[in-house]
Amino acid sequence: MAIVAYLVLRDPTATAKMTPNEWGDFLAGCFAPLAFLWLVLGYLQQGDELRLSTDALRLQAEELKNSVEQQRALVEVSRLQVESEREALAFERSLREDLSQPKFRVEGGGGAFRGDGQSTYNATFINVGHDATAVYAEILLPDGFRQSLLNQALFSKGEQYSTHITMTSRFPHTQGTLLVRFVDGLGRSVEQQFSVALIDQTDHSGLKFERIEA
């Protein structure tokens, strides 16, 4: 502004004779550098603000990244905890089911074969597991022979019952099947199977019983 005043006052007569266009050119020439200076200063200020804004966004991005990593870690911890609880529940369920299961062992005693063709084979049932109810056992042979061997309302843990198989002939060389049905400690109906065969081919051979795993 001082420069403009100086130029005007230095030659008032000349400036008084200037036309509007000349005044416009004069003022434009005087203020153009100032406008350019303001433009440069505004550009620099916007650059600083943009830089600050970029830094703020970068910090927010870092915080968001850290938050995502923390959430991922929490999710992984939760997943491992759920998996551990699931395995613990499965183990507990398996243990409870195993403890509720009666476990029968069948032992064969000596056999007897009489001259009239009748044969007798001894068998002993032993429960080494949980108490069982509604216990029923029968033997089945391939030729259609079947005989009920056991029918107990309650077969407690540690108890044993002896019975025998009576046939009008010798036990066949083929393998038979022993079925044992009962209700376990969880109230479920269960069936166990045993293979039945002669120990040897002598007249006094007993029977061997082997559990058939399901």
Side-chain angles (χ1 to χ4, degrees):
M1 294 296 294
I3 296 174
V4 174
Y6 170 75
L7 293 175
V8 172
L9 295 176
R10 188 183 66 173
D11 191 358
T13 303
T15 55
K17 295 179 180 180
M18 292 174 61
T19 64
N21 288 336
E22 291 174 339
W23 272 105
D25 294 339
F26 172 73
L27 293 175
C30 292
F31 288 103
L34 182 61
F36 181 75
L37 177 61
W38 278 111
L39 179 63
V40 172
L41 293 176
Y43 175 78
L44 294 177
Q45 183 178 6
Q46 288 182 355
D48 291 338
E49 293 177 353
L50 182 61
R51 188 179 303 106
L52 293 175
S53 178
T54 302
D55 292 340
L57 290 175
R58 185 180 297 108
L59 290 176
Q60 290 180 359
E62 289 294 332
E63 292 178 356
L64 181 60
K65 179 181 178 181
N66 293 334
S67 177
V68 170
E69 292 295 333
Q70 292 176 358
Q71 291 295 327
R72 184 180 292 111
L74 289 175
V75 169
E76 180 64 16
V77 170
S78 299
R79 186 188 68 80
L80 293 176
Q81 183 177 0
V82 170
E83 186 68 23
S84 177
E85 291 177 354
R86 184 184 297 113
E87 291 178 355
L89 288 174
F91 175 77
E92 182 180 352
R93 185 183 303 111
S94 176
L95 181 61
R96 185 172 65 251
E97 291 182 355
D98 183 69
L99 293 177
S100 69
Q101 286 298 308
K103 295 180 175 63
F104 289 103
R105 189 171 72 242
V106 185
E107 298 178 353
F113 180 71
R114 301 191 321 194
D116 59 1
Q118 182 172 309
S119 57
T120 302
Y121 302 93
N122 298 321
T124 301
F125 291 80
I126 305 171
N127 182 12
V128 296
H130 193 276
D131 294 351
T133 56
V135 183
Y136 177 79
E138 66 174 344
I139 186 170
L140 306 174
L141 298 181
D143 61 4
F145 173 85
R146 64 191 307 163
Q147 179 183 335
S148 175
L149 300 180
L150 190 65
N151 191 0
Q152 293 290 131
L154 174 64
F155 200 142
S156 301
K157 178 180 180 179
E159 287 187 330
Q160 65 180 41
Y161 291 92
S162 296
T163 184
H164 59 272
I165 304 166
T166 302
M167 306 178 63
T168 57
S169 62
R170 290 186 178 183
F171 195 91
H173 298 311
T174 55
Q175 181 174 281
T177 303
L178 173 66
L179 300 180
V180 181
R181 301 185 183 94
F182 56 88
V183 176
D184 66 10
L186 297 177
R188 300 175 303 182
S189 297
V190 182
E191 179 181 278
Q192 294 179 356
Q193 295 187 13
F194 296 79
S195 64
V196 187
L198 288 170
I199 297 176
D200 54 52
Q201 302 302 319
T202 63
D203 291 343
H204 299 286
S205 172
L207 299 177
K208 58 181 178 180
F209 299 84
E210 295 182 354
R211 171 77 182 276
I212 301 175
E213 298 296 337

